[in-house]
Amino acid sequence: MIEVRNLHKTFGSGAKKVIAVDGVSFVARDGEITGLLGPNGAGKTTTLRCLYTLMRPDSGQVLVDGVDAAADPLAVRRNLGVLPDARGLYKRLTARENIAYFGRLHGLDEATIRARSDAAIRALEMEDIAERRTEGFSQGQRVKTAIARALVHDPKNVILDEPTNGLDVMATRAMRAFLKQLKGEGRCVLFSSHIMQEVAALCDRIVVIARGRVVADESPDALRAQTGEANLEDAFVRLIGSDEGLAA
Amino acid sequence: MKSALIVFLKEVRENLRDKRTVVNTLVTGPLMGPLLFVLLINTLVSRELEKAEAPLKLPVIGAEHAPNLIEALRQQRIEIQPGPADAERAVRDQDADVVLRIPPRYAESWNQGEPAQVELVFDESQRDAQSAVRRLQGALEGYAQRTGALRLLARGLSPAVMKPVVIAERDQSTPQSRSGQMFGILPYFFILGALIGGMALAIDTTAGERERQSLEPLLANPVPRSQILAGKLATTTAFSMTTVLLSMVAFGIASRFLPTDKLGMDLHLGLDFVLRGLFVMLPLAALLAGLQTMVAAFAKSYREAQTWLGLLTFVPAIPTMLLTVLPFKPQTWMYAVPLMGQQVALTRFLRGETVNSDALVLCFVCTTLAALLVYFVTSRIYRSERLAISA
Ligand SMILES: Nc1ncnc2c1ncn2[C@@H]1O[C@H](COP(=O)(O)OP(=O)(O)OP(=O)(O)O)[C@@H](O)[C@H]1O
Ligand SMILES: [Mg+2]
């Protein structure tokens, strides 16, 4: 479970000051998929970066399975699987070696790494590329490898920053199925997106954020009811107050 | 510690698969120094030897005014040639190293027992010409002294009255110390080797990792950043020490092809040198790796990091130049200064001198402390948010 309480984060100072996150609070529960929905520049990536302790929030609290991220960042990272916005691989290592590296950094033994890699490679249907060096991998192959290595330690909580970014229709469908599978395994899945349909199709809960603030935190149905719009996309536009940044 | 080791092993494996890094570490770094040096020494030595042995060709203006002098010069294996019309111009245009001009009044002055003047036209700044000038001066002075002694004898005086003080030169330099002087720039090549060997690694593990977007996922692992940094620094240090070791071996082999015996020089580049050299170079390699990583971590891109690190390679040239240009006596405090300590110690090792172990330990400890300091500063930079985010 991931709890975010009144998170604030600004960049720069003076005239160049940017308020990226301005009092964000929400809860992502186990066995649910929570979608962080917002237009470009809304503060999704920054919020997630505070969650996996890459950034320190100016104020506010992050709890992962009850552990305070500010107090024990290592424990928090141990309980998180992260697919960040940046998902570069080591191109001179094979996909399997990339996965194993992260497994070792998580303190897993070689047998466990082997078993988990095999399972992930099967689940993500990447048998054909597993032993290849990742140099020249397609976008989809890169994302698969990055996900496999992010989940090698079997984390209870999974954070993904725009996981379907750059994927074709088939890969996107596979990704959605995979997220559902993670949910079925009882994990807490939190992902960001700016694509309405995607969030609608997947999420148990939608946290809409715009200009660094949470403007709605509901189930898809409740969201429709709250805004009085039958169509989710219209609901979204009404919530963020403009239709800027709404790429489908 | 375990995480640092994991990072180290992964970096080594990954970088050994990178042709450019491997070529830098195993070939370019170690070989560039020795090659440059062999070329330099070979041309220097063979040119010197050529000049000393071959007859000196000397253009003379007014040879007919001093037949005896000319004859004496011929006996010194100086080949007299007709002089150019304009001596100054010939020297300026480097058509001649030196021109001897004998004025018409020479015979007259000679006969009257007055100092008879001859003129040497040369260009002091022309290094090539120096040995020719010195040889001619020697021959002329010898002739003058012999003639002077004869004149004194003719007047019934002992030539000894002209020499109230006699200088007997007792040169204390040994063949080793002369080679140490000449080879005083050798330590720079080893230090340069360390920098070249570590350069690609320092960039790859910081600016490079950020540029290919793999730093953020890496930092999402439950490992303190200081450990990740330690693993990366260990890799950089290992590669740069490999370069240093190989360049020592390369120098050892190259020195066999140097005509050092002809110069009466003795270079100590054996196993003993390698062992002691590696001992003083190890903490320096760690220090330089830390500096390179620090600089590369500040750089916004791979290219920028390359530029900065290129400039950094010139820093160790400073103590080298100071120590070769300024006359100095190795003093204990010098061992305490990183870079300078290695410079002094390596120079003395090359001369085959013993350096007492206190000085070596001082050198090792002080450089290690400096390396630790740089490590702490770099790990502070490594903790900053700015470092991880590629934008
Ligand atoms: N490292 C940084 N330095 C300065 N400003 C930043 C930094 N990171 C984010 N910002 C600013 O903070 C705001 C929120 O950015 P963020 O990346 O969190 O948005 P996002 O919701 O992820 O957008 P997108 O959908 O485009 O990925 C933006 O205005 C951005 O310019
Ligand atoms: Mg983003």
Side-chain angles (χ1 to χ4, degrees), chain B residues 24-299:
Chain B
N24 261 335
T25 312
L26 304 183
V27 186
T28 323
L31 287 189
M32 202 162 69
L35 276 181
L36 275 177
F37 202 67
V38 168
L39 280 178
L40 190 82
I41 289 293
N42 263 330
T43 29
L44 267 183
V45 166
S46 51
R47 207 188 290 170
E48 286 296 313
L49 291 177
E50 216 170 72
K51 290 222 163 142
E53 283 159 9
L56 174 64
K57 292 193 170 64
L58 177 68
V60 179
I61 302 172
E64 66 279 8
H65 303 309
N68 290 340
L69 172 64
I70 296 299
E71 190 46 43
L73 290 180
R74 282 213 172 94
Q75 280 168 14
Q76 301 287 318
R77 296 183 2 95
I78 292 176
E79 198 181 306
I80 307 299
Q81 294 182 328
D86 183 345
E88 282 78 5
R89 194 187 164 136
V91 167
R92 254 200 322 273
D93 294 351
Q94 297 184 25
D95 291 335
D97 285 346
V98 55
V99 176
L100 177 66
R101 189 158 52 201
I102 304 173
R105 292 196 312 105
Y106 181 88
E108 194 187 326
S109 310
W110 178 273
N111 289 335
Q112 289 175 4
E114 287 167 6
Q117 195 189 52
V118 296
E119 288 173 48
L120 288 190
V121 185
F122 63 94
D123 179 353
E124 173 72 40
S125 64
Q126 206 60 52
R127 278 191 69 89
D128 270 1
Q130 276 174 12
S131 69
V133 174
R134 231 176 292 124
R135 220 172 122 191
L136 181 56
Q137 277 172 337
L140 287 172
E141 268 159 27
Y143 177 70
Q145 261 176 26
R146 281 196 303 281
T147 317
L150 284 176
R151 285 183 181 173
L152 285 175
L153 280 174
R155 286 167 176 74
L157 290 171
S158 160
V161 295
M162 285 296 292
K163 296 204 163 161
V165 176
V166 183
I167 303 164
E169 292 182 351
R170 310 252 192 277
D171 186 357
Q172 292 302 296
S173 70
T174 57
Q176 287 94 316
S177 74
R178 278 197 297 280
S179 73
Q181 235 172 39
M182 188 144 180
F183 291 67
I185 48 168
L186 256 180
Y188 175 64
F189 286 113
F190 297 125
I191 295 166
L192 195 64
L195 280 167
I196 295 176
M199 189 152 149
L201 267 290
I203 300 178
D204 188 75
T205 55
T206 50
E209 180 130 49
R210 185 170 44 207
E211 202 155 291
R212 62 185 134 74
Q213 310 250 309
S214 55
L215 194 55
E216 189 169 339
L218 175 64
L219 295 179
N221 284 296
V223 176
R225 291 194 189 180
S226 56
Q227 290 230 13
I228 293 179
L229 177 65
K232 286 173 180 290
L233 282 181
T235 319
T236 309
T237 308
F239 272 71
S240 87
M241 280 308 278
T242 307
T243 306
V244 171
L245 171 64
L246 290 177
S247 65
M248 284 176 169
V249 172
F251 264 109
I253 295 169
S255 72
R256 289 167 198 271
F257 301 105
L258 291 179
T260 44
D261 49 330
K262 289 205 181 111
L263 298 171
M265 288 171 175
D266 189 5
L267 255 188
H268 287 242
L269 273 164
L271 183 65
D272 203 42
F273 171 78
V274 172
L275 291 179
R276 292 192 295 172
L278 288 180
F279 175 74
V280 293
M281 283 302 288
L282 179 63
L284 185 68
L287 170 62
L288 294 177
L291 284 175
Q292 288 180 311
T293 305
M294 193 193 316
V295 171
F298 267 121

Side-chain angles (χ1 to χ4, degrees), chain A residues 104-126:
Chain A
R104 291 191 192 106
L105 287 175
H106 273 282
L108 305 182
D109 60 64
E110 295 301 314
T112 313
I113 290 175
R114 180 98 217 154
R116 295 261 173 81
S117 308
D118 286 341
I121 287 166
R122 230 175 301 117
L124 292 161
E125 295 174 3
M126 47 187 285

